[in-house]
Amino acid sequence: MAKLEIVKVPNPVLRKVAEKVKGYTSDLEKLAQDMAETMYGAPGVGLAANQVAVTRQVIVIDVSAPDKPKNLLVLINPEILEEEGMDEIEEGCLSVPEFKQFVERPTKIKVRAKNLKGEEVEFTAEGLLARAIQHEIDHIHGRLLLDYAGSIKKQLYLKKRRKLLKQDK
Ligand code: NI
């Protein structure tokens, strides 16, 4: 396994709509493993392939507490079939450093995806898991946490990021 670099705003790959995975080859398993290692190392509770500059519909998630055994979920071509309830919670994102945003999302979702064997899986997720899945599905559609902010907050943040990146050069 290898830890990958997490790309950050304003990298345009974060805005790409990722392509559906068709073939289930060994490189897919390697990608998922590398993404998992990158997520655990960050540390974070979820990561989408766009965040490691790969535009394929692959997400990894683990919302188990740090002191609990790992419970990795790899979802390929995930889609939401049904949703229920709504709440608003503040989220962060590894690709949007030093940015927090309250986001309204359904609290319970029914998900369809493929696993690493290419088998179709369907399940219901609630709470933090449901939220993390929705956040990562946003990523593979090119949508970012920033998009839930008002335009002034968003523009100020982007300005600050560009300034910071210029200083780093
Ligand atoms: Ni994110």
CSV table of all heavy atoms in Angstrom, one decimal, residues 41-85:
chain,number,residue,atom,x,y,z
A,41,GLY,N,-4.3,7.8,7.3
A,41,GLY,CA,-3.1,8.6,7.7
A,41,GLY,C,-3.4,10.1,7.9
A,41,GLY,O,-2.7,10.8,8.6
A,42,ALA,N,-4.5,10.5,7.2
A,42,ALA,CA,-4.8,12.0,7.2
A,42,ALA,C,-5.0,12.6,8.6
A,42,ALA,O,-4.3,13.6,8.9
A,42,ALA,CB,-6.0,12.3,6.4
A,43,PRO,N,-5.7,12.1,9.6
A,43,PRO,CA,-6.8,11.1,9.5
A,43,PRO,C,-8.1,11.7,9.0
A,43,PRO,O,-8.4,12.8,9.3
A,43,PRO,CB,-6.9,10.5,10.9
A,43,PRO,CG,-6.6,11.7,11.8
A,43,PRO,CD,-5.7,12.6,11.0
A,44,GLY,N,-8.9,10.8,8.4
A,44,GLY,CA,-10.2,11.3,8.0
A,44,GLY,C,-11.2,10.1,8.0
A,44,GLY,O,-10.8,9.0,8.2
A,45,VAL,N,-12.5,10.4,7.9
A,45,VAL,CA,-13.5,9.3,7.9
A,45,VAL,C,-14.0,8.9,6.5
A,45,VAL,O,-14.7,7.9,6.4
A,45,VAL,CB,-14.7,9.7,8.8
A,45,VAL,CG1,-14.3,9.9,10.2
A,45,VAL,CG2,-15.4,10.9,8.3
A,46,GLY,N,-13.5,9.6,5.5
A,46,GLY,CA,-13.9,9.2,4.1
A,46,GLY,C,-13.0,9.9,3.1
A,46,GLY,O,-12.3,10.9,3.4
A,47,LEU,N,-12.9,9.3,1.9
A,47,LEU,CA,-12.1,9.8,0.9
A,47,LEU,C,-12.6,9.4,-0.5
A,47,LEU,O,-13.0,8.2,-0.6
A,47,LEU,CB,-10.6,9.4,1.0
A,47,LEU,CG,-9.5,10.2,0.3
A,47,LEU,CD1,-9.3,11.5,0.9
A,47,LEU,CD2,-8.2,9.4,0.2
A,48,ALA,N,-12.7,10.3,-1.4
A,48,ALA,CA,-13.2,10.0,-2.8
A,48,ALA,C,-12.0,10.0,-3.7
A,48,ALA,O,-11.0,10.7,-3.5
A,48,ALA,CB,-14.2,11.0,-3.2
A,49,ALA,N,-12.1,9.2,-4.8
A,49,ALA,CA,-10.9,9.1,-5.7
A,49,ALA,C,-10.5,10.4,-6.3
A,49,ALA,O,-9.3,10.7,-6.5
A,49,ALA,CB,-11.3,8.1,-6.8
A,50,ASN,N,-11.4,11.3,-6.5
A,50,ASN,CA,-11.1,12.7,-7.0
A,50,ASN,C,-10.0,13.3,-6.1
A,50,ASN,O,-9.2,14.1,-6.6
A,50,ASN,CB,-12.2,13.7,-7.0
A,50,ASN,CG,-13.4,13.3,-7.8
A,50,ASN,OD1,-13.8,12.1,-7.8
A,50,ASN,ND2,-13.9,14.2,-8.6
A,51,GLN,N,-10.1,13.0,-4.8
A,51,GLN,CA,-9.2,13.7,-3.9
A,51,GLN,C,-7.8,13.2,-3.9
A,51,GLN,O,-6.9,13.7,-3.3
A,51,GLN,CB,-9.7,13.5,-2.4
A,51,GLN,CG,-11.0,14.2,-2.2
A,51,GLN,CD,-11.5,14.0,-0.8
A,51,GLN,OE1,-12.2,13.0,-0.5
A,51,GLN,NE2,-11.2,14.9,0.1
A,52,VAL,N,-7.6,12.1,-4.7
A,52,VAL,CA,-6.2,11.6,-5.0
A,52,VAL,C,-5.9,11.7,-6.5
A,52,VAL,O,-5.2,11.0,-7.1
A,52,VAL,CB,-5.9,10.2,-4.4
A,52,VAL,CG1,-5.9,10.2,-2.9
A,52,VAL,CG2,-6.9,9.2,-4.9
A,53,ALA,N,-6.7,12.6,-7.1
A,53,ALA,CA,-6.5,12.9,-8.6
A,53,ALA,C,-6.9,11.8,-9.5
A,53,ALA,O,-6.3,11.7,-10.6
A,53,ALA,CB,-5.1,13.5,-8.8
A,54,VAL,N,-7.8,10.9,-9.1
A,54,VAL,CA,-8.2,9.8,-9.9
A,54,VAL,C,-9.7,10.0,-10.2
A,54,VAL,O,-10.5,10.0,-9.2
A,54,VAL,CB,-8.0,8.4,-9.3
A,54,VAL,CG1,-8.6,7.3,-10.1
A,54,VAL,CG2,-6.5,8.2,-9.0
A,55,THR,N,-10.2,10.2,-11.4
A,55,THR,CA,-11.6,10.5,-11.7
A,55,THR,C,-12.3,9.2,-12.0
A,55,THR,O,-12.9,9.0,-13.1
A,55,THR,CB,-11.7,11.5,-12.8
A,55,THR,OG1,-10.9,11.1,-13.9
A,55,THR,CG2,-11.3,12.9,-12.4
A,56,ARG,N,-12.4,8.3,-11.0
A,56,ARG,CA,-13.2,7.1,-11.1
A,56,ARG,C,-14.1,7.1,-9.9
A,56,ARG,O,-13.8,7.6,-8.8
A,56,ARG,CB,-12.3,5.9,-11.1
A,56,ARG,CG,-11.3,5.9,-12.2
A,56,ARG,CD,-10.3,4.7,-12.0
A,56,ARG,NE,-10.9,3.5,-12.5
A,56,ARG,CZ,-10.2,2.3,-12.4
A,56,ARG,NH1,-9.1,2.2,-11.8
A,56,ARG,NH2,-10.8,1.2,-12.9
A,57,GLN,N,-15.3,6.5,-10.0
A,57,GLN,CA,-16.3,6.5,-8.9
A,57,GLN,C,-16.0,5.5,-7.8
A,57,GLN,O,-16.6,4.5,-7.8
A,57,GLN,CB,-17.7,6.3,-9.5
A,57,GLN,CG,-18.1,7.5,-10.4
A,57,GLN,CD,-19.6,7.5,-10.6
A,57,GLN,OE1,-20.4,6.7,-10.1
A,57,GLN,NE2,-20.0,8.4,-11.5
A,58,VAL,N,-15.0,5.8,-7.0
A,58,VAL,CA,-14.6,5.0,-6.0
A,58,VAL,C,-14.5,5.8,-4.7
A,58,VAL,O,-13.9,6.9,-4.7
A,58,VAL,CB,-13.2,4.4,-6.2
A,58,VAL,CG1,-12.7,3.5,-5.1
A,58,VAL,CG2,-13.1,3.6,-7.5
A,59,ILE,N,-15.1,5.4,-3.6
A,59,ILE,CA,-15.0,6.0,-2.3
A,59,ILE,C,-14.6,5.0,-1.2
A,59,ILE,O,-15.0,3.9,-1.3
A,59,ILE,CB,-16.3,6.8,-1.9
A,59,ILE,CG1,-17.5,5.9,-1.7
A,59,ILE,CG2,-16.6,7.8,-3.0
A,59,ILE,CD1,-18.7,6.7,-1.2
A,60,VAL,N,-13.9,5.5,-0.2
A,60,VAL,CA,-13.6,4.7,0.9
A,60,VAL,C,-14.1,5.4,2.2
A,60,VAL,O,-14.0,6.7,2.2
A,60,VAL,CB,-12.1,4.4,1.1
A,60,VAL,CG1,-11.6,3.5,0.0
A,60,VAL,CG2,-11.3,5.6,1.2
A,61,ILE,N,-14.6,4.7,3.1
A,61,ILE,CA,-15.2,5.3,4.3
A,61,ILE,C,-14.9,4.4,5.5
A,61,ILE,O,-14.9,3.2,5.4
A,61,ILE,CB,-16.7,5.5,4.1
A,61,ILE,CG1,-17.0,6.6,3.1
A,61,ILE,CG2,-17.4,5.8,5.5
A,61,ILE,CD1,-18.4,6.8,2.8
A,62,ASP,N,-14.6,5.0,6.7
A,62,ASP,CA,-14.6,4.3,7.9
A,62,ASP,C,-14.9,5.3,9.0
A,62,ASP,O,-14.1,6.2,9.4
A,62,ASP,CB,-13.2,3.7,8.2
A,62,ASP,CG,-13.2,2.8,9.4
A,62,ASP,OD1,-14.1,2.8,10.2
A,62,ASP,OD2,-12.2,2.0,9.5
A,63,VAL,N,-16.1,5.2,9.6
A,63,VAL,CA,-16.6,6.1,10.6
A,63,VAL,C,-16.4,5.6,12.0
A,63,VAL,O,-16.9,6.1,13.0
A,63,VAL,CB,-18.0,6.6,10.4
A,63,VAL,CG1,-18.2,7.4,9.1
A,63,VAL,CG2,-19.0,5.4,10.4
A,64,SER,N,-15.7,4.4,12.1
A,64,SER,CA,-15.5,3.9,13.5
A,64,SER,C,-14.6,4.7,14.3
A,64,SER,O,-13.6,5.3,13.7
A,64,SER,CB,-15.1,2.4,13.4
A,64,SER,OG,-14.0,2.3,12.5
A,65,ALA,N,-14.8,4.8,15.6
A,65,ALA,CA,-14.0,5.7,16.4
A,65,ALA,C,-12.5,5.2,16.4
A,65,ALA,O,-12.3,4.0,16.2
A,65,ALA,CB,-14.5,5.6,17.8
A,66,PRO,N,-11.6,6.1,16.5
A,66,PRO,CA,-10.1,5.8,16.4
A,66,PRO,C,-9.7,4.6,17.3
A,66,PRO,O,-8.8,3.9,17.0
A,66,PRO,CB,-9.4,7.0,16.8
A,66,PRO,CG,-10.4,8.1,16.7
A,66,PRO,CD,-11.8,7.5,16.9
A,67,ASP,N,-10.4,4.5,18.5
A,67,ASP,CA,-9.9,3.4,19.5
A,67,ASP,C,-10.7,2.1,19.2
A,67,ASP,O,-10.5,1.1,19.9
A,67,ASP,CB,-10.2,3.9,20.9
A,67,ASP,CG,-11.6,4.3,21.1
A,67,ASP,OD1,-12.3,4.7,20.2
A,67,ASP,OD2,-12.1,4.2,22.3
A,68,LYS,N,-11.5,2.0,18.2
A,68,LYS,CA,-12.2,0.8,17.8
A,68,LYS,C,-11.6,0.1,16.6
A,68,LYS,O,-10.8,0.7,15.9
A,68,LYS,CB,-13.7,1.2,17.5
A,68,LYS,CG,-14.5,1.7,18.7
A,68,LYS,CD,-15.0,0.6,19.5
A,68,LYS,CE,-15.7,1.0,20.8
A,68,LYS,NZ,-15.8,2.3,21.3
A,69,PRO,N,-11.9,-1.2,16.4
A,69,PRO,CA,-11.3,-1.9,15.3
A,69,PRO,C,-11.8,-1.2,14.0
A,69,PRO,O,-12.8,-0.6,13.9
A,69,PRO,CB,-11.9,-3.3,15.4
A,69,PRO,CG,-12.5,-3.4,16.7
A,69,PRO,CD,-12.7,-2.0,17.2
A,70,LYS,N,-10.9,-1.3,13.0
A,70,LYS,CA,-11.2,-0.7,11.7
A,70,LYS,C,-12.4,-1.3,11.0
A,70,LYS,O,-12.6,-2.5,11.2
A,70,LYS,CB,-10.0,-0.8,10.8
A,70,LYS,CG,-8.9,0.2,11.2
A,70,LYS,CD,-7.8,0.2,10.1
A,70,LYS,CE,-6.8,1.3,10.4
A,70,LYS,NZ,-5.6,0.9,10.9
A,71,ASN,N,-13.2,-0.6,10.3
A,71,ASN,CA,-14.4,-1.1,9.6
A,71,ASN,C,-14.5,-0.4,8.3
A,71,ASN,O,-15.3,0.5,8.1
A,71,ASN,CB,-15.6,-0.8,10.5
A,71,ASN,CG,-16.8,-1.5,9.9
A,71,ASN,OD1,-16.7,-2.4,9.0
A,71,ASN,ND2,-18.0,-1.2,10.4
A,72,LEU,N,-13.6,-0.8,7.3
A,72,LEU,CA,-13.5,-0.1,6.0
A,72,LEU,C,-14.6,-0.5,5.1
A,72,LEU,O,-14.9,-1.7,4.9
A,72,LEU,CB,-12.1,-0.5,5.4
A,72,LEU,CG,-11.8,0.2,4.0
A,72,LEU,CD1,-11.7,1.7,4.1
A,72,LEU,CD2,-10.6,-0.4,3.4
A,73,LEU,N,-15.1,0.5,4.5
A,73,LEU,CA,-16.2,0.3,3.5
A,73,LEU,C,-15.7,0.9,2.2
A,73,LEU,O,-15.3,2.1,2.1
A,73,LEU,CB,-17.4,1.1,3.9
A,73,LEU,CG,-18.7,0.9,3.2
A,73,LEU,CD1,-19.2,-0.5,3.3
A,73,LEU,CD2,-19.8,1.8,3.8
A,74,VAL,N,-15.6,0.1,1.1
A,74,VAL,CA,-15.2,0.5,-0.2
A,74,VAL,C,-16.4,0.5,-1.1
A,74,VAL,O,-17.0,-0.6,-1.2
A,74,VAL,CB,-14.1,-0.3,-0.8
A,74,VAL,CG1,-13.7,0.1,-2.2
A,74,VAL,CG2,-12.9,-0.4,0.1
A,75,LEU,N,-16.8,1.6,-1.6
A,75,LEU,CA,-18.0,1.7,-2.5
A,75,LEU,C,-17.6,2.1,-3.9
A,75,LEU,O,-17.0,3.2,-4.1
A,75,LEU,CB,-19.1,2.6,-1.9
A,75,LEU,CG,-19.6,2.3,-0.5
A,75,LEU,CD1,-20.6,3.3,-0.1
A,75,LEU,CD2,-20.3,0.9,-0.5
A,76,ILE,N,-18.1,1.4,-4.9
A,76,ILE,CA,-17.8,1.7,-6.3
A,76,ILE,C,-19.1,2.0,-7.0
A,76,ILE,O,-20.1,1.3,-6.8
A,76,ILE,CB,-17.1,0.5,-6.9
A,76,ILE,CG1,-15.7,0.3,-6.2
A,76,ILE,CG2,-16.9,0.7,-8.4
A,76,ILE,CD1,-15.2,-1.1,-6.3
A,77,ASN,N,-19.1,3.1,-7.7
A,77,ASN,CA,-20.3,3.6,-8.4
A,77,ASN,C,-21.5,3.8,-7.4
A,77,ASN,O,-22.6,3.3,-7.8
A,77,ASN,CB,-20.7,2.7,-9.6
A,77,ASN,CG,-19.6,2.4,-10.6
A,77,ASN,OD1,-18.6,3.2,-10.7
A,77,ASN,ND2,-19.7,1.4,-11.4
A,78,PRO,N,-21.2,4.4,-6.3
A,78,PRO,CA,-22.3,4.4,-5.3
A,78,PRO,C,-23.4,5.4,-5.8
A,78,PRO,O,-23.2,6.4,-6.4
A,78,PRO,CB,-21.6,5.0,-4.1
A,78,PRO,CG,-20.5,5.8,-4.6
A,78,PRO,CD,-20.0,5.1,-5.8
A,79,GLU,N,-24.7,5.0,-5.5
A,79,GLU,CA,-25.8,5.9,-5.7
A,79,GLU,C,-26.8,5.8,-4.6
A,79,GLU,O,-26.9,4.8,-3.9
A,79,GLU,CB,-26.4,5.7,-7.1
A,79,GLU,CG,-26.7,4.2,-7.4
A,79,GLU,CD,-27.3,4.0,-8.8
A,79,GLU,OE1,-27.9,4.9,-9.3
A,79,GLU,OE2,-27.0,2.9,-9.3
A,80,ILE,N,-27.5,6.9,-4.4
A,80,ILE,CA,-28.5,7.0,-3.3
A,80,ILE,C,-29.9,6.7,-3.9
A,80,ILE,O,-30.3,7.3,-4.9
A,80,ILE,CB,-28.5,8.3,-2.6
A,80,ILE,CG1,-27.2,8.5,-1.9
A,80,ILE,CG2,-29.7,8.5,-1.6
A,80,ILE,CD1,-26.9,9.9,-1.5
A,81,LEU,N,-30.6,5.7,-3.4
A,81,LEU,CA,-31.9,5.2,-3.9
A,81,LEU,C,-33.0,5.9,-3.2
A,81,LEU,O,-34.0,6.2,-3.8
A,81,LEU,CB,-32.0,3.7,-3.8
A,81,LEU,CG,-30.9,2.9,-4.5
A,81,LEU,CD1,-31.2,1.4,-4.3
A,81,LEU,CD2,-30.9,3.1,-6.0
A,82,GLU,N,-32.9,6.0,-1.9
A,82,GLU,CA,-33.9,6.6,-1.1
A,82,GLU,C,-33.3,7.5,0.0
A,82,GLU,O,-32.2,7.1,0.5
A,82,GLU,CB,-34.8,5.5,-0.4
A,82,GLU,CG,-35.7,4.8,-1.4
A,82,GLU,CD,-36.2,3.5,-0.7
A,82,GLU,OE1,-36.4,3.5,0.5
A,82,GLU,OE2,-36.5,2.5,-1.5
A,83,GLU,N,-34.0,8.5,0.5
A,83,GLU,CA,-33.5,9.2,1.6
A,83,GLU,C,-34.7,9.6,2.5
A,83,GLU,O,-35.8,9.7,2.1
A,83,GLU,CB,-32.8,10.5,1.1
A,83,GLU,CG,-33.3,11.2,-0.1
A,83,GLU,CD,-32.4,12.3,-0.6
A,83,GLU,OE1,-31.3,12.0,-1.0
A,83,GLU,OE2,-32.9,13.4,-0.7
A,84,GLU,N,-34.3,9.8,3.8
A,84,GLU,CA,-35.3,10.1,4.8
A,84,GLU,C,-34.8,11.0,5.9
A,84,GLU,O,-33.5,11.0,6.2
A,84,GLU,CB,-35.6,8.7,5.5
A,84,GLU,CG,-37.0,8.5,6.0
A,84,GLU,CD,-37.1,7.1,6.6
A,84,GLU,OE1,-36.9,6.1,5.9
A,84,GLU,OE2,-37.3,7.1,7.9
A,85,GLY,N,-35.6,11.9,6.4
A,85,GLY,CA,-35.2,12.8,7.5
A,85,GLY,C,-34.2,13.8,7.0
A,85,GLY,O,-33.9,13.9,5.9
